[in-house]
Amino acid sequence: MPSSDTLKTGETPDYSPDQFHDQSPDQRMDTKAFKRSLNNSDNYHRKGFGHEAEVSNLMQSEYQSSLIQEIRDNQYRLRRGDVTIRLAEAFGFCWGVERAVAMAYETRQHFPTERIWITNEIIHNPSVNQRLREMQVEFIPVQGNQKDFSGVERGDVVILPAFGASVQEMQLLNDKNCTIVDTTCPWVSKVWNTVEKHKKVSFTSIIHGKYNHEETIATSSFAGTYLIVLNLEQAQYVCDYILNGGDRNEFMAKFSNACSAGFDPDRDLEHVGIANQTTMLKGETEQIGKLFEHTLMKKYGPDRLNQHFQSFNTICDATQERQDAMFKLVEDRRSVAGTLLIAIDGTEYFSSSQIHCSNGYWQLQH
């Protein structure tokens, strides 16, 4: 395991959340009990600090635009000379992101002189993160693929970003007696509760997500046995293995960075539950859930399905709404010559990479 002040991060492609799960399920910490204890701590804050008015004005001045509002008021169109600009109807920050950024701003106002850290980017938006740096919010440094918490001192204030932090990071900060400001999106917390339910009944959590994304790292840290699938293709591979068996070595090589320690596909795919990274497409998560449901039903029969399959609604609509808005935006693409599609996104993880057209006319997948 890493030293007490270093934890590996998901910022690099070779990261595996398995490093936090090198103990057997019986040896792992009771994450639910720890989170309950943390919630009751005076050093833990899940809401703002009463500076909503000041922060609201700041947010509006920095992230609202009179031009964007003009386009919205004009049925999401603006014409200048020969150029027509169309704006997707689902545009801008979702509610969870707005909440996280506002809480981070409030934290600096509430603790004007304290040293404030954040465990990762608050959201994947360079300008927002730069603004926090200008507020003297320090980002936990990363050396290689390890986060170095050694600079965090007892009593410092630490912000957890919108997509959460691993339970191991929370425990480390709690042990340092830090003031923790948790901006985790409630939809992400809902996923954590779901994998806790899977763990309680010894079900394997099938997590639809990217194994090296910070949100999925956090979610897997609350899970017991888990397997992370990136897309429908990988889900189909797993379901084929459930029904027909296969090459165990090939399976483990394929998911070497995306499963819990000691995972055994011949043992751990008999009882499964579905969870997801909230920035994945709603439609694809639903397809994956249905695929596993039908697979387990086919293998064990309809009367025994509930003994082998669990599914709770943890899907956030925000990503899907943005894809739907993009489809609507370009539905007349064939008849419009010289159309340029511009997606505004950060350079890390690319949430817009989930927004793509399946008809081959345009894509934003990375």
Side-chain angles (χ1 to χ4, degrees):
M1 286 291 288
S3 69
S4 60
D5 284 328
T6 59
L7 289 175
K8 289 191 178 181
T9 176
E11 291 298 329
T12 56
D14 61 350
Y15 171 81
S16 170
D18 186 45
Q19 60 205 305
F20 292 143
H21 289 251
D22 59 355
Q23 297 173 309
S24 69
D26 292 338
Q27 293 174 312
R28 292 177 195 150
M29 67 182 291
D30 186 339
T31 53
K32 190 171 184 178
F34 168 75
K35 197 66 165 65
R36 188 186 303 116
S37 173
L38 187 64
N39 288 338
N40 293 327
S41 168
D42 291 337
N43 288 337
Y44 178 80
H45 303 275
R46 192 82 174 89
K47 299 180 180 179
F49 298 98
H51 306 288
E52 291 88 352
E54 305 98 298
V55 167
S56 176
N57 292 335
L58 183 60
M59 294 274 290
Q60 187 167 355
S61 66
E62 294 192 352
Y63 303 117
Q64 299 295 321
S65 163
S66 58
L67 176 60
I68 293 298
Q69 192 56 50
E70 179 184 349
I71 299 174
R72 284 176 170 149
D73 293 341
N74 194 43
Q75 298 182 319
Y76 297 90
R77 290 173 179 264
L78 179 68
R79 187 167 182 82
R80 291 290 186 267
D82 295 332
V83 177
T84 298
I85 298 172
R86 297 179 60 192
L87 181 70
E89 293 183 16
F91 178 86
F93 294 162
C94 66
W95 170 80
V97 162
E98 286 186 351
R99 173 183 172 278
V101 175
M103 283 185 66
Y105 282 17
E106 276 199 70
T107 300
R108 174 42 83 196
Q109 294 211 7
H110 192 72
F111 299 100
T113 60
E114 283 84 346
R115 193 175 191 184
I116 300 179
W117 300 84
I118 188 166
T119 62
N120 208 295
E121 295 180 337
I122 184 74
I123 59 173
H124 297 313
N125 182 301
S127 61
V128 175
N129 292 301
Q130 180 57 35
R131 186 71 182 93
L132 290 178
R133 290 185 176 93
E134 293 168 0
M135 293 179 178
Q136 304 304 309
V137 174
E138 300 180 59
F139 287 65
I140 297 295
V142 177
Q143 303 293 336
N145 63 341
Q146 287 191 334
K147 288 183 183 179
D148 182 3
F149 287 83
S150 61
V152 179
E153 298 180 354
R154 183 179 180 85
D156 284 356
V157 178
V158 183
I159 300 171
L160 309 183
F163 41 77
S166 74
V167 70
Q168 289 80 11
E169 291 183 3
M170 294 184 197
Q171 185 178 38
L172 184 153
L173 297 170
N174 187 57
D175 290 346
K176 284 176 173 282
N177 200 33
C178 293
T179 296
I180 299 173
V181 180
D182 187 354
T183 77
T184 303
C185 174
W187 279 102
V188 175
S189 298
K190 189 175 181 181
V191 180
W192 296 352
N193 291 335
T194 292
V195 298
E196 290 277 10
K197 291 176 182 177
H198 297 163
K199 181 168 59 178
K200 184 177 181 179
V201 293
S202 299
F203 273 45
T204 294
S205 294
I206 304 294
I207 304 171
H208 175 213
K210 301 173 183 178
Y211 74 84
N212 63 337
H213 190 285
E214 287 283 319
E215 181 186 325
T216 296
I217 293 166
T219 295
S220 64
S221 77
F222 284 92
T225 303
Y226 66 85
L227 180 71
I228 301 166
V229 296
L230 176 63
N231 50 33
L232 192 59
E233 180 183 354
Q234 287 192 359
Q236 185 65 64
Y237 178 91
V238 176
C239 287
D240 288 343
Y241 194 97
I242 291 174
L243 289 176
N244 307 312
D247 186 330
R248 184 183 183 281
N249 291 334
E250 178 186 276
F251 187 105
M252 293 307 299
K254 190 177 186 69
F255 294 100
S256 60
N257 292 321
C259 62
S260 51
F263 183 88
D264 184 346
D266 297 321
R267 177 195 64 209
D268 296 326
L269 293 173
E270 295 182 0
H271 307 274
V272 305
I274 304 299
N276 65 295
Q277 178 184 313
T278 59
T279 55
M280 304 302 281
L281 288 178
K282 171 185 175 182
E284 188 171 37
T285 296
E286 290 175 334
Q287 283 182 291
I288 289 171
K290 287 295 182 184
L291 176 61
F292 275 94
E293 180 181 17
H294 293 160
T295 298
L296 274 299
M297 185 184 299
K298 185 174 181 180
K299 182 164 185 176
Y300 297 105
D303 56 327
R304 299 177 61 195
L305 178 63
N306 291 339
Q307 301 173 35
H308 295 272
F309 177 78
Q310 285 189 352
S311 181
F312 303 95
N313 181 17
T314 61
I315 294 174
C316 173
D317 291 332
T319 302
Q320 187 70 43
E321 287 173 354
R322 279 151 179 74
Q323 183 178 48
D324 292 344
M326 295 296 280
F327 274 115
K328 183 177 180 180
L329 190 66
V330 298
E331 60 188 1
D332 56 351
R333 170 70 176 85
R334 298 188 188 199
S335 61
V336 180
T339 298
L340 174 65
L341 176 66
I342 300 176
I344 302 172
D345 200 352
T347 57
E348 296 289 339
Y349 294 116
F350 299 101
S351 292
S352 64
S353 68
Q354 303 301 323
I355 302 173
H356 63 280
C357 179
S358 59
N359 63 17
Y361 275 83
W362 54 275
Q363 293 189 1
L364 289 173
Q365 283 189 299
H366 299 277

